[in-house]
Amino acid sequence: MLQGAEELCIIPDDGLWEVPFQALQTSTGHYALEDYAIRYAPSLSVLTALANRQQPIAASLLAFG
């Protein structure tokens, strides 16, 4: 199914964030990271949780170092 693909977009949910997808092996015996550009995106449940989260009122701070 990935024949000809150069990039993988992985959208894990819940405990799947702990799975090292870049270390999975392809049918050729290579690691996925060797054959594909891999990027991650948050699932809709993460975006929903972030949208529903109460934002605490914080004081402003501008700092330079």
Side-chain angles (χ1 to χ4, degrees):
M1 291 179 65
L2 297 176
Q3 187 174 11
E6 296 178 0
E7 180 180 359
L8 299 178
C9 180
I10 300 172
I11 306 171
D13 191 27
D14 200 28
L16 290 177
W17 279 102
E18 304 296 325
V19 176
F21 290 99
Q22 66 276 8
L24 296 177
Q25 290 188 339
T26 63
S27 60
T28 60
H30 295 127
Y31 292 110
L33 187 60
E34 295 176 300
D35 294 338
Y36 305 102
I38 298 176
R39 62 186 173 103
Y40 293 90
S43 65
L44 288 178
S45 61
V46 170
L47 294 176
T48 302
L50 288 174
N52 293 334
R53 189 172 73 172
Q54 292 286 346
Q55 296 294 330
I57 299 173
S60 297
L61 171 68
L62 176 61
F64 294 92

